[in-house]
């Protein structure tokens, strides 16, 4: 059972609660969108340059988190991409998308979700990704449902226009409240898991907020609020370690180069500006080790007779 911190509670007290899990960087490493983009590229729906851009955005998202501007940009690009596409054609990308997403799920977060279910608390994916993605993963993971961003469909094809609130910032709370009204759930007794400051409305809408792989802004707020923090994504830390190692290697190389080229610090000078005198009878190592002139190889000249 889960308590007030999200780890256990007395049975019978959570009968109307639910647990909401963000998808990207919370249930899984990185963004699910990059695997959708890869599947779309392989099927000829998008260009290689578009795929490269989406891969770059995935790495940036893992390191820095999301922003409102980038979220809106992603939504517009996806709408343009699917406009006129048959629903069936998009559904056929599912096996390829799952092949990328499933190996990147965090086992620790699945354990959390299943612990909620075992305690009688229904579990839902709550994501800005498509409703189709949310439904697909909810079925595969045996969750109780998924809440995603819905797109308009006319005559079996996507129009590229939204068919409901964008599941981002306050949009997620709208979806949560709609579900709570339908299922008789109580958000004030529920749980929410997310990685981003943009999900503050979602986290503040429930009683138990847990942050996972938080961005800098959410980490600061979590410390102020006393929320539980779960760290699972090691990419940022690995890059910092590599950067530190790289900086150390560069510094060492520059030091060796300086010594090899005679750029080492000079000996201290006296008050008059002249070099400090050497002790008598002492020669520098450089002078002692300097080789003398060599005679050319070959026949040696005989010495003179007296």
């Amino acid at each position: 059972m889960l308590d007030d911190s999200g780890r256990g509670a007395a049975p019978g007290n959570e009968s109307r609660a639910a647990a909401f899990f963000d998808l990207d960087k919370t249930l899984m490493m990185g963004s699910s969108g990059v695997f959708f983009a890869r599947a779309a590229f392989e099927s000829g729906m998008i260009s290689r340059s578009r795929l490269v851009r989406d891969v770059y955005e995935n790495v940036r998202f893992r390191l820095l988190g999301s922003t409102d501007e980038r979220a809106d940009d992603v939504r517009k690009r996806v709408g343009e991409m699917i406009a006129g596409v048959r629903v069936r054609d998009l559904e056929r990308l599912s096996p390829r998308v799952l092949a990328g997403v499933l190996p990147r799920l965090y086992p620790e977060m699945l354990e959390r979700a299943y612990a909620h279910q075992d305690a009688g608390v229904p579990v839902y994916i709550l994501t800005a990704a498509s409703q189709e993605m949310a439904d697909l993963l909810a079925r595969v993971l045996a969750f109780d449902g998924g809440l995603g961003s819905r797109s308009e469909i006319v005559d079996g094809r996507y129009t590229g226009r939204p068919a409901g609130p964008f599941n981002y910032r306050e949009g997620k709370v709208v979806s949560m409240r709609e579900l709570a009204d339908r299922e008789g759930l109580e958000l004030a007794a529920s749980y929410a898991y997310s990685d981003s400051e943009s999900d503050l409305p979602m986290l503040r809408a429930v009683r138990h907020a847990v942050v996972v792989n938080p961005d800098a802004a959410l980490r600061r707020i979590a410390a102020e609020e006393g929320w539980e923090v779960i760290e699972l994504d090691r990419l940022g830390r690995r890059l910092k370690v590599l950067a530190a190692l790289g900086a150390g290697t560069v510094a060492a190389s520059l030091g060796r180069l300086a010594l090899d080229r005679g750029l080492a610090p000079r000996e201290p000078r006296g008050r008059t500006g002249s070099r400090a005198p050497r002790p008598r009878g002492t020669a520098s190592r450089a002078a002692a080790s300097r080789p003398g002139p060599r005679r050319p190889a070959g026949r040696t000249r005989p010495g003179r007779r007296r």
Side-chain angles (χ1 to χ4, degrees), residues 178-233:
E178 290 177 351
L179 176 70
D181 291 341
R182 290 196 307 268
E183 303 295 332
L185 301 172
E186 186 177 346
L187 295 183
S190 296
Y191 302 80
Y193 296 79
S194 181
D195 67 286
S196 175
E197 178 274 340
S198 65
D199 281 338
L200 271 179
M202 163 189 173
L203 294 168
R204 295 193 187 281
V206 300
R207 180 180 181 185
H208 310 284
V210 182
V211 299
V212 184
N213 303 319
D215 58 30
L218 184 57
R219 185 185 302 277
R220 182 176 61 255
I221 294 171
E224 295 171 354
E225 298 287 344
W227 291 341
E228 182 184 2
V229 177
I230 301 175
E231 293 280 5
L232 298 173
D233 194 342

Side-chain angles (χ1 to χ4, degrees), residues 14 56 65 80 101 106 118 178 190 210 218 233 263-264 285 298 305:
E14 305 286 350
Y56 163 76
E80 294 170 357
V101 170
Y106 291 119
D118 292 343
E178 290 177 351
S190 296
V210 182
L218 184 57
D233 194 342
L263 298 179
R285 292 184 180 179
R305 295 183 179 178

Side-chain angles (χ1 to χ4, degrees), residues 50 53-54 56-57 66-81 166 168:
R50 167 68 185 278
R53 179 180 177 183
D54 285 338
Y56 163 76
E57 290 292 339
S66 180
T67 64
D68 294 354
E69 181 181 357
R70 290 181 180 274
D72 289 338
D73 179 60
V74 169
R75 189 185 192 192
K76 291 176 183 177
R77 287 192 287 118
V78 170
E80 294 170 357
M81 183 187 73
F166 183 32
Y168 186 78

Side-chain angles (χ1 to χ4, degrees), residues 131-148:
Q131 181 64 53
E132 291 80 1
M133 172 70 75
D135 287 337
L136 177 65
L137 283 175
R139 287 196 300 270
V140 171
L141 300 180
F143 282 13
D144 296 277
L147 302 172

